[in-house]
């Protein structure tokens, strides 16, 4: 046996990754795929961007504490550091199925914003689908949406992914394109507000959990995200249901959350934007896909610059740095902020200023009514 031996065996068995012992001379150690995080030796120009080049609007945020000046002050401090001009809280009513309580929560948020920072926040409302089996559900939902916008000051409607995943009527899943919801989509168009809709999840969540699944690490660390088409709608069914809604409501503007789960297939997303002129796309939680295809993504952003919006989703201020660097810089091979989302490295698109301005704020100002434009460059 040679003095120096290297034996590495990576085995996939029933979706589990096992790392056997690594032996180099007299030293021994064990490294799993989850632990393996090598420091790159590549020497190239580049630096972290902590503050956006232009003030931006985060169209996709979720906040649960916006009821006082102290709550808002905390957010403003972080927003100012990164040059966030305006935050959209999509969770105005949250997930509360008690209508009186959810209405009170929505009103409290909007009142706090008006009293303390009227130009820095906007609040979207939500729909409670838990009673969709009741005969008068549609009329009540439409009336609530109208009152939320006209009387309470909501600026848009957010649809959670629970529609298609967990909303049921007598034990059966309710499809995204259920006809009982049609008047809601129509009313949003009449009110002139956008609908930000999240349908499905990455398609890999439905694929077998094996060595070929690109989301293996995420599904291993977050097993609740694994989907089963034999027990629920398939990915293809959910996406088609969503597209049916776009197709049936051409006068309503829809913001497709997470680029409609086509950030890894921009040619397909491009064709959908031709098919649905009323569909916009936001980039929340998919910057890892954009950052690994800089040339293709830049071409897409330049072509569709009038219909892409900035969004982040989860409120982790330090993670915005990845978004700024991917969109603004031409840096190469820099890390993403969550390994389980992306074990690959990022590359900057180096978007032109005019494209950046549209993604950062101009497109949001165009489709969300009543936002203050004075704090944004022309």
């Amino acid at each position: 046996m040679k003095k120096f031996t290297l034996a590495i065996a990576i085995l996939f068995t029933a979706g589990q990754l096992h790392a056997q012992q690594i032996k180099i001379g007299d030293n021994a150690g064990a490294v799993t795929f989850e632990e393996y995080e090598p420091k790159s030796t590549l020497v190239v120009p580049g630096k972290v961007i902590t503050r956006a080049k232009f003030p931006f609007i985060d169209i996709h945020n979720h906040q649960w504490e916006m009821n006082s000046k102290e709550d808002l002050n905390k957010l403003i401090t972080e927003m100012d550091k990164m040059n966030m001009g305006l935050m959209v809280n999509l969770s105005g009513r949250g997930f509360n199925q008690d209508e009186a309580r959810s209405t009170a929560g929505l009103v409290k948020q909007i009142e706090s914003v008006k009293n303390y920072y009227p130009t820095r926040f906007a609040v979207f409302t939500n729909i409670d689908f838990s009673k969709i089996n009741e005969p008068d559900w549609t009329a009540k939902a439409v009336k609530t949406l109208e009152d939320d916008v006209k009387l309470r000051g909501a600026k848009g409607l957010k649809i959670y992914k629970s529609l298609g995943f967990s909303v049921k009527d007598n034990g059966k899943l309710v499809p995204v394109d259920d006809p009982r919801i049609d008047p809601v989509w129509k009313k949003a168009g009449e009110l002139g507000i956008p609908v930000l809709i999240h349908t499905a999840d990455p398609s890999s969540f439905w694929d077998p959990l094996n060595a070929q699944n690109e989301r293996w690490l995420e599904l291993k660390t977050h097993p609740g995200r694994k989907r089963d088409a034999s027990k629920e709608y398939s990915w293809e069914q959910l996406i088609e249901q969503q597209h049916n809604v776009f197709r049936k409501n051409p006068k309503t503007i829809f913001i497709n959350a997470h680029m409609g789960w086509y950030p890894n297939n921009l040619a397909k997303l491009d064709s959908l934007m031709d098919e649905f002129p009323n569909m916009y796309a936001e980039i929340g939680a998919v910057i890892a896909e954009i950052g690994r295809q800089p040339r293709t993504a830049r071409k897409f952003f330049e072509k569709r610059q009038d219909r892409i919006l900035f969004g982040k989703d989860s409120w982790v201020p330090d993670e915005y740095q990845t978004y700024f660097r991917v969109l603004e810089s031409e840096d190469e091979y820099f890390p993403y902020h969550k390994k389980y989302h992306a074990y690959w490295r990022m590359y900057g698109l180096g978007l032109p200023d005019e494209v950046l301005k549209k993604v950062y704020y101009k497109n949001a100002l165009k489709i969300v009514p009543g936002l203050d434009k004075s704090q944004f460059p022309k």
Side-chain angles (χ1 to χ4, degrees):
M1 178 180 291
K2 294 182 179 180
K3 183 177 180 180
F4 294 97
T5 63
L6 174 64
I8 303 176
I10 305 295
L11 304 175
F12 286 93
T13 305
Q16 299 295 317
L17 182 67
H18 303 281
Q20 291 185 343
Q21 196 174 57
I22 302 172
K23 295 182 179 179
I24 304 178
D26 295 328
N27 299 320
V31 178
T32 65
F33 180 69
E34 296 96 313
E35 297 168 332
Y36 183 63
E37 191 70 33
K39 183 177 180 181
S40 174
T41 60
L42 183 67
V43 179
V44 289
K47 62 179 181 179
V48 173
I49 300 176
T50 60
R51 184 176 173 83
K53 187 174 185 178
F54 303 107
F56 67 97
I57 295 173
D58 185 351
I59 197 72
H60 190 153
N61 208 288
H62 297 282
Q63 295 294 330
W64 313 105
E65 298 293 336
M66 292 181 64
N67 300 320
S68 68
K69 187 176 182 180
E70 290 71 26
D71 292 336
L72 298 181
N73 281 343
K74 292 177 183 178
L75 294 174
I76 288 293
T77 298
E78 296 295 337
M79 290 164 62
D80 286 346
K81 288 179 183 177
M82 67 179 82
N83 204 17
M84 184 189 296
L86 190 146
M87 175 192 288
V88 176
N89 180 24
L90 299 178
S91 303
R93 285 182 173 270
F95 299 100
N96 199 321
Q97 295 179 3
D98 183 313
E99 184 175 358
R101 291 181 64 186
S102 67
T103 298
L106 175 69
V107 170
K108 181 63 175 176
Q109 283 191 42
I110 294 175
E111 285 182 348
S112 294
V113 168
K114 287 181 178 178
N115 289 337
Y116 303 116
Y117 294 102
T119 67
R120 301 295 301 277
F121 298 96
V123 181
F124 278 27
T125 187
N126 313 106
I127 295 291
D128 176 18
F129 295 102
S130 64
K131 302 177 180 66
I132 195 171
N133 62 325
E134 296 182 356
D136 58 352
W137 177 86
T138 298
K140 285 184 176 179
V142 170
K143 181 66 165 58
T144 298
L145 175 61
E146 187 168 23
D147 288 348
D148 283 352
V149 174
K150 289 185 175 181
L151 303 180
R152 301 178 183 118
K155 303 297 185 184
L157 171 64
K158 165 65 161 71
I159 302 297
Y160 298 113
K161 67 179 180 180
S162 55
L163 180 62
F165 273 160
S166 59
V167 174
K168 293 185 178 181
D169 179 0
N170 293 318
K172 186 177 180 181
L173 282 172
V174 174
V176 180
D177 58 352
D178 190 291
R180 288 171 290 188
I181 313 173
D182 286 347
V184 173
W185 313 129
K186 182 180 179 182
K187 176 55 67 173
E190 293 173 354
L191 293 169
I193 60 167
V195 178
L196 195 150
I197 182 170
H198 176 171
T199 302
D201 271 332
S203 60
S204 296
F205 287 6
W206 280 260
D207 292 338
L209 188 57
N210 57 27
Q212 284 71 52
N213 192 319
E214 198 171 37
R215 294 273 184 162
W216 177 88
L217 182 58
E218 182 173 359
L219 293 172
K220 182 176 185 296
T221 55
H222 299 74
R225 297 182 182 182
K226 184 71 177 71
R227 298 294 174 181
D228 186 350
S230 68
K231 299 178 181 179
E232 55 191 356
Y233 293 123
S234 69
W235 185 83
E236 291 79 9
Q237 287 175 319
L238 287 169
I239 297 300
E240 182 57 28
Q241 290 169 13
Q242 183 199 66
H243 293 173
N244 287 340
V245 172
F246 299 164
R247 192 175 291 112
K248 289 192 295 182
N249 297 275
K251 295 183 179 180
T252 301
I253 291 177
F254 292 92
I255 304 171
N256 206 338
H258 314 298
M259 300 185 90
W261 298 122
Y262 279 111
N264 57 339
N265 187 350
L266 294 179
K268 176 62 176 179
L269 182 57
D270 183 63
S271 70
L272 292 173
M273 297 188 105
D274 281 334
E275 183 177 357
F276 306 123
N278 57 330
M279 184 191 80
Y280 287 67
E282 65 88 20
I283 63 174
V286 294
I287 198 69
E289 299 289 355
I290 297 168
R292 65 170 171 169
Q293 49 175 331
R295 289 184 289 275
T296 298
R298 174 168 171 146
K299 290 177 182 177
F300 176 81
F301 273 68
E302 288 178 340
K303 181 178 180 181
R304 298 300 184 181
Q305 60 186 270
D306 295 317
R307 289 164 61 192
I308 304 173
L309 295 91
F310 184 98
K312 168 66 173 63
D313 198 356
S314 61
W315 176 239
V316 185
D318 289 347
E319 293 179 355
Y320 284 80
Q321 298 173 12
T322 307
Y323 287 71
F324 304 153
R325 196 171 180 184
V326 168
L327 296 175
E328 297 182 20
S329 82
E330 294 183 347
D331 292 353
E332 297 179 289
Y333 202 78
F334 54 90
Y336 182 66
H337 49 263
K338 288 180 181 176
K339 182 181 176 182
Y340 72 80
H341 269 177
Y343 49 84
W344 53 81
R345 294 297 184 253
M346 302 287 98
Y347 297 82
L349 276 58
L351 293 176
D353 284 356
E354 273 311 304
V355 178
L356 270 177
K357 289 177 182 178
K358 290 179 180 179
V359 174
Y360 274 161
Y361 62 88
K362 286 187 175 182
N363 293 337
L365 292 175
K366 179 174 62 176
I367 64 174
V368 182
L371 301 185
D372 180 74
K373 299 180 180 180
S374 63
Q375 61 188 315
F376 299 97
K378 295 183 178 179

